[in-house]
């Protein structure tokens, strides 16, 4: 066995403690069967190597589920071991067994307290983790003190551990809530992404009602969200969803409710007068409402969570989807459909959760998933629950698809799925009048099916459909009466008997005969069928007593001595009610009203209709019952709360503190330059809008100049110099943007023709130069030509409808373009490593809609690799990541120079040194994701060549092969 120090050598300090258990299991699985006595001897040894080996074996035993609690005294002795690797494993063990062995753990509290002062951040965090795992109220003050100190620790990993310890302490002693809230408030102000998710989780556990703590951190959490770990993203998004429901107005308030009509709603039963009155009331209410303007903070939340729909974590995607469903305007909710459909390709467990939420969404947003109809097709390999849920999803997409596919579904061997399909058809027929006859006719055809379950389920559904218009379907009732001899399923037989009894006046000749047959088999029927036979006999006695009087008495006599007391009681009740005697009560004269009263037609509803009052994506929504710890989703406020509570005043001394990610290279260079001026660290000014503030502050500084020391004056002068350098660098960077001119060797594309553009023509090309404001964007060079006789003013371009994830950095506005003159500009577009076109709007005297579509070769940037690095990277991109094509080179392209020129023209790649004369190698990375792209052209005799492309993204590799083949053979 190798030393565990090798295990930790290639990982960061923050990850070591988290992977120690798993790495120990994989590396030392063989040691798990070691005797406990031997392990105790090894732990008592003076050699650190034996102690380390023993701890590895013990942790491996724990990972396999074996009990190692009797080793606690021997392990806890080594908590003060000087060997850092032994100490890490000891803390892992103590976290597991500290709660079970509380008395022994208490003896080592002084050691844990010393561990809180250890120079190693992992030891400090582990000590706090063990301390918070000891569930004894005596040490609550010690735990509180440790948490407060850890919340101010320099290491973000230790601060994260402090956030995890807060809920543990709160569950142990709720009286510490006030002090814990102070710690939470302090940690919420932390600017490190590692801490954000953990402290929000602590906030949700301890004080979710203290919404004032979120006000001043709201914008920071929105901006940090993209960089937080996946678990933290889910927690923060769910918290911000509830926060937004209390602080912003409903964005769909002025839609008039037209969009809220659910899939299962029907206007068929509403009168024209009711509709007209309802429309007038809605119009009057809309006239009183003020026009809705979305709060900028509301828009900030929607904008910053949208990119997370592309997350690889299904929980993050589901969290963003529920946020958009509960918070976004109706016109924007549709963006979540594509992301949720993508999750349907995942494991069945993920599909089940996603489809539960999709079924709820389709009730409120009927056509949201209509473009993705194929994703709801049911496969034979799907589990039964997935099949049923997909059927509900299809109902929300389009009813006609289900009507076309139900003939296949009812042939399935899965009986539960067949029953669910027939019930779904019944729900559609009940609520959508235009397909009711089609569904009813199809269900009647199923009555001749050989499968008894299909026939039985169809009878139950038809019974409910016929209640809507029984007078139009007497033939169907007669047909179903003939099925009593063949159908043996109790529920189906009971449904037929109820239907014949309820509408016996429509089949006066058949109903008595059915009662005669049922009377013969009464003693052999199931209880539910017997009850319906009694009801049928009572109704026929009241409507056709001449033919059925004796039959009714016979059935009542049989029921009088039945073994089931419910049937005996029902028989006595019916006899006293329908057969008048001297002793019969006053109810007998109302027998017809009781038995033959009109009954309302049933409405078959989706089982997911009542789930929308639970927050989507929650356990309560999944179970359709309130789970422990569930927090209700608040209602929208009637009046918007004060938005100024989220305004945070940032002090100058605080701006340079914390972890800040600089995506702007110019600002980063300015910051680095500022740090070189005698160690003075001053953050760059955010933008030019602060010029007045800086001018006023400089004036105040000059006024107080006389009362300051020489050292303070010198520091202020240094800060002024740095600020000036920063502003100059920003100004220079911005002014350089439009000065790049297209090269004559680059291929130009027409963006706007002079006829379409009313004299204005625009061409664009890909300059293959880095776009300095954002390295993830492709620089697109634009050339404007004014072919008209009049000048063009205020030329500007902006995005219209970009694909998900695309971004555009517009070029500065061209204020004036004289007649016959040309101008050039550079704009940046983040194509997200896709060749899909970016739809833009060019604004001048009028608006022109244009699109820029990049060749796949322009989505890359060159990267320098040595020959050995190229071979190593190529060896890791084999299998499905490698594409090979054979080709024959033309005679004039068989030399090395021609091949290099052709390949680099087709793709923005750099040449890689190669020791072979018969190979040309090229390397690059995609602009957005940085995925490696390797190209090899190996030439042979008579112009035969082989093109090999290795790329992490198969789609890009496939398109690149086609483009390079075309460049080498054309």
């Amino acid at each position: 066995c190798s030393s565990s120090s090798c295990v930790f050598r290639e990982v960061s300090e923050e990850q070591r403690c988290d992977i120690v258990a798993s790495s120990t299991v994989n590396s030392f699985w063989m040691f798990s069967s070691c005797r406990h006595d031997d392990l105790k001897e090894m732990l008592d040894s003076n050699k650190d190597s034996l102690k380390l080996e023993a701890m590895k074996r013990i942790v491996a035993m724990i990972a396999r589920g074996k009990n190692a609690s009797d080793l606690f005294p021997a392990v806890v002795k080594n908590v003060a071991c000087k060997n850092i690797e032994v100490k890490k494993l000891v803390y892992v063990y103590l976290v597991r067994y500290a709660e079970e062995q509380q008395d022994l753990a208490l003896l080592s509290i002084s050691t844990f307290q010393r561990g809180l002062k250890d120079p190693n951040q992992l030891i400090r965090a582990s000590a706090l983790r063990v301390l918070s795992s000891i569930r004894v109220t005596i040490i609550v003050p010690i735990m509180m003190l440790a948490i407060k100190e850890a919340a101010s620790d320099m290491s973000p990993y230790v601060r994260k551990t402090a956030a995890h310890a807060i809920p543990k302490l709160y569950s142990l002693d709720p009286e510490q809530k006030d002090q814990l809230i102070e710690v939470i408030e302090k940690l919420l102000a932390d600017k490190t992404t590692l801490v954000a998710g953990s402290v929000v989780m602590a906030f949700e556990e301890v004080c979710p009602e203290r919404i004032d703590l979120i006000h001043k951190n709201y914008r920071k959490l929105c901006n940090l969200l993209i960089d937080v770990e996946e678990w933290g993203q889910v927690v923060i998004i769910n918290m911000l969803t509830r926060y937004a429901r209390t602080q912003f107005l409903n964005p769909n308030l002025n839609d008039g409710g037209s969009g809220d009509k659910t899939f299962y709603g029907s206007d068929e039963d509403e009168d024209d007068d009711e509709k007209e009155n309802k429309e007038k009331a809605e119009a009057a209410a809309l006239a009183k409402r003020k026009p809705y303007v979305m709060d900028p903070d509301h828009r900030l939340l929607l904008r910053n969570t949208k990119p997370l729909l592309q997350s690889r974590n299904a929980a993050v995607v589901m969290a963003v989807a529920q946020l958009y469903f509960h918070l976004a305007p109706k016109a924007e909710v549709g963006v979540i459909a594509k992301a949720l459909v993508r999750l349907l390709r995942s494991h069945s467990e993920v599909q089940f959760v996603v489809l539960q939420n999709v079924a709820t969404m389709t009730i409120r947003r009927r056509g949201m998933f209509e473009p993705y109809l194929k994703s709801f097709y049911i496969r034979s390999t799907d589990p039964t629950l997935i099949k049923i849920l997909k059927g509900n999803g299809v109902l929300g997409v389009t009813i006609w698809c289900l009507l076309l596919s139900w003939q296949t579904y009812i042939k399935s061997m899965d009986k539960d799925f067949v029953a669910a399909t027939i019930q779904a058809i019944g729900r559609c027929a009940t609520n959508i009048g235009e397909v009711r006859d089609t569904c009813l006719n199809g269900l009647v055809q199923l009555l001749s099916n050989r499968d008894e379950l299909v026939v039985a389920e169809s009878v139950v559904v038809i019974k409910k459909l016929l209640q809507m218009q029984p007078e139009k379907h007497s033939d169907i009732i007669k047909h179903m009466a003939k099925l009593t001899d063949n159908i043996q399923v109790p529920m189906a037989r009971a449904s037929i008997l109820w239907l014949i009894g309820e509408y016996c006046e429509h089949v006066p000749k058949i109903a008595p005969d059915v009662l005669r047959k049922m009377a013969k088999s009464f003693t052999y029927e199931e209880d539910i069928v017997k009850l319906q036979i009694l009801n049928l006999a009572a109704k026929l006695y009241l409507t056709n007593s001449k033919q059925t009087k004796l039959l009714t008495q016979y059935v009542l006599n049989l029921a009088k001595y039945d073994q089931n007391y419910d049937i005996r009681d029902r028989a006595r009740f019916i006899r006293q009610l329908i057969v008048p005697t001297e002793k019969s009560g006053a109810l007998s004269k109302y027998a017809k009203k009781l038995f033959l009263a009109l009954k309302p037609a049933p409405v078959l509803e989706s089982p997911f209709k009542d789930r929308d009052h639970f927050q989507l994506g929650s356990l309560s929504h999944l179970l359709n019952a309130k789970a422990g710890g569930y927090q209700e989703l608040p209602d929208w406020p009637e009046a918007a709360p004060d938005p100024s509570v989220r305004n945070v005043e940032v002090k100058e001394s605080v701006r340079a503190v914390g972890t800040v990610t600089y995506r702007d290279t110019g600002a980063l260079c300015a910051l680095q330059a500022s740090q070189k001026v005698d160690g003075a660290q001053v953050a760059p000014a955010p933008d030019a809008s602060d010029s007045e503030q800086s001018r006023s502050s400089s004036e105040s500084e000059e006024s107080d100049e006389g009362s300051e020391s020489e050292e303070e004056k010198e520091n202020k002068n240094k800060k002024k110099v740095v600020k000036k350098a920063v502003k100059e660098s920003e100004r220079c960077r911005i002014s350089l943007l439009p000065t790049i001119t297209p090269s004559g060797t680059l291929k130009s594309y027409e963006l706007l023709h002079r006829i379409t553009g009313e004299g204005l023509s625009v061409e664009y090309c890909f300059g293959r130069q880095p776009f300095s404001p954002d390295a993830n964007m492709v620089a697109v060079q634009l050339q404007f030509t004014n072919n008209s006789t009049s000048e063009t003013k205020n030329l500007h371009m902006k995005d219209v409808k970009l694909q998900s994830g695309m971004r555009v950095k517009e070029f500065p506005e061209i204020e004036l373009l004289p007649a016959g003159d040309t101008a050039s500009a550079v704009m940046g577009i983040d194509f997200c490593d896709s060749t899909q076109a970016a739809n833009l709007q060019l604004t001048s005297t009028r608006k022109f809609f244009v699109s820029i579509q990049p060749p796949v070769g322009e989505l890359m940037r060159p990267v320098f690799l040595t020959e050995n690095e190229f071979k190593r990277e190529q060896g890791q991109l084999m299998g499905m990541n490698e594409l090979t094509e054979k080709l024959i080179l033309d005679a004039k392209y068989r030399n090395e120079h021609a091949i290099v020129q052709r390949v680099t023209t087709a793709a923005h790649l750099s040449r890689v040194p190669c020791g072979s004369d018969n190979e040309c190698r090229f390397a690059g990375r995609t602009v957005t994701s940085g995925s490696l792209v390797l190209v090899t052209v190996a030439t042979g005799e008579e112009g035969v060549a082989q093109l090999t492309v290795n790329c992490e993204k198969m789609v890009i590799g496939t398109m690149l092969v086609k483009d390079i083949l075309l460049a080498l053979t054309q």
Side-chain angles (χ1 to χ4, degrees), residues 454-519:
V454 174
V455 176
E457 199 65 43
S458 301
V459 168
V460 175
V461 175
I462 290 173
K463 166 210 162 186
K464 296 177 180 178
L465 294 179
L466 290 182
Q467 286 183 254
M468 298 180 180
Q469 297 173 328
E471 65 280 355
K472 295 183 179 180
H473 305 291
S474 58
D475 294 337
I476 297 178
I477 298 176
K478 294 177 183 178
H479 180 65
M480 293 179 67
K482 296 176 183 178
L483 295 175
T484 53
D485 296 333
N486 301 324
I487 296 177
Q488 300 300 325
V489 178
M491 189 64 191
R493 291 173 68 82
S495 298
I496 294 175
L497 294 175
W498 183 91
L499 199 62
I500 294 172
E502 185 69 17
Y503 305 109
C504 55
E505 67 273 9
H506 297 293
V507 284
K509 296 181 180 180
I510 295 178
D513 195 48
V514 171
L515 179 61
R516 178 182 60 81
K517 290 182 179 181
M518 291 295 103

Side-chain angles (χ1 to χ4, degrees), residues 166-167 170 177 180-181 184 188 199-215 235 238-244 246-247 615 629-634:
I166 290 174
Y170 178 70
K177 182 175 181 179
L180 292 175
I181 289 176
I184 291 174
L188 279 172
V199 67
V200 170
M201 187 64 195
F203 169 82
E204 292 282 86
E205 292 287 337
V206 178
C207 53
E209 73 284 353
R210 286 292 304 273
I211 207 166
D212 57 296
L213 300 179
I214 304 298
H215 288 325
V235 174
N238 288 329
M239 184 274 294
L240 291 179
T241 301
R242 289 189 293 275
Y243 175 86
T246 62
Q247 299 300 310
Q615 186 174 351
Y630 174 75
Q631 299 179 30
E632 294 285 350
L633 192 65

Side-chain angles (χ1 to χ4, degrees), residues 437-452:
D437 292 338
T438 305
C439 293
L440 190 57
N441 293 334
L443 291 171
V444 171
Q445 293 177 13
L446 289 181
L447 296 178
S448 59
N449 195 287
R450 294 181 181 179
D451 193 333
E452 188 175 310

Side-chain angles (χ1 to χ4, degrees), residues 815-945:
E815 297 181 355
L816 181 65
L817 183 61
D821 203 352
T822 60
S824 61
V826 176
M827 68 183 302
I829 303 178
D830 184 1
F831 290 99
C832 295
D833 295 343
S834 170
T835 56
Q836 294 183 353
N839 299 319
L840 306 169
Q841 176 183 299
L842 177 63
T843 305
S844 180
T845 53
R846 57 179 294 234
K847 298 178 181 178
F848 306 98
F849 294 93
V850 296
S851 61
I852 296 177
Q853 185 170 14
V856 67
E858 303 301 334
L859 300 177
M860 306 166 190
R861 60 172 180 265
V863 61
F864 175 80
L865 294 178
T866 63
E867 185 175 4
N868 292 334
E869 289 174 345
F870 183 95
K871 290 180 179 179
R872 184 175 68 252
E873 296 291 345
Q874 191 178 39
Q876 296 176 359
L877 294 173
M878 305 294 286
M880 297 180 66
N881 294 323
E882 184 177 272
L883 300 171
T884 304
E885 289 287 343
K886 291 185 177 180
L887 65 152
I888 298 178
L889 297 172
D890 192 80
K892 56 183 178 179
Y893 298 139
R894 293 179 183 176
N895 59 77
E896 181 180 349
H897 176 73
I899 292 175
V900 173
Q901 184 180 8
R902 285 279 170 172
V903 173
T904 53
T905 302
H908 193 197
L909 303 171
S910 64
R911 181 80 183 276
V912 176
C914 181
S916 174
D917 296 331
N918 299 328
E919 279 192 7
C920 295
R921 296 172 179 169
F922 309 86
R925 290 187 182 275
T926 56
V927 174
T928 301
S929 64
S931 301
L932 198 61
V933 181
L934 305 177
V935 178
T936 306
V937 181
T939 56
E941 298 179 357
E942 298 179 359
V944 178

Side-chain angles (χ1 to χ4, degrees), residues 208-277:
E209 73 284 353
R210 286 292 304 273
I211 207 166
D212 57 296
L213 300 179
I214 304 298
H215 288 325
K216 53 188 176 183
N217 299 291
Y218 172 81
R219 293 169 186 167
K220 183 197 69 176
L221 289 173
C222 290
N223 292 323
L224 287 181
L225 191 59
I226 195 70
D227 296 318
V228 177
E229 78 276 7
E230 294 168 343
W231 174 83
Q233 287 174 344
V234 175
V235 174
I236 294 174
I237 290 172
N238 288 329
M239 184 274 294
L240 291 179
T241 301
R242 289 189 293 275
Y243 175 86
R245 287 291 290 255
T246 62
Q247 299 300 310
F248 308 127
L249 291 177
N250 187 354
N252 305 308
L253 194 62
N254 291 341
D255 289 351
S258 59
D260 285 337
K261 186 177 292 182
T262 63
F263 175 78
Y264 294 98
S266 177
D267 292 335
E268 191 174 272
D269 300 329
E270 292 185 10
D271 297 334
D272 293 338
D273 294 339
E274 291 180 0
K275 291 182 182 179
E276 187 176 354
N277 294 335

Side-chain angles (χ1 to χ4, degrees), residues 237-246 322-323 325-327 364 611-616 618 626 630-636:
I237 290 172
N238 288 329
M239 184 274 294
L240 291 179
T241 301
R242 289 189 293 275
Y243 175 86
R245 287 291 290 255
T246 62
Q322 64 85 22
L323 181 141
F325 185 80
H326 291 303
L327 300 181
R364 294 270 299 275
R611 295 194 181 196
D612 56 354
H613 62 275
F614 291 114
Q615 186 174 351
L616 294 185
S618 63
K626 189 173 181 179
Y630 174 75
Q631 299 179 30
E632 294 285 350
L633 192 65
D635 294 328
W636 294 102

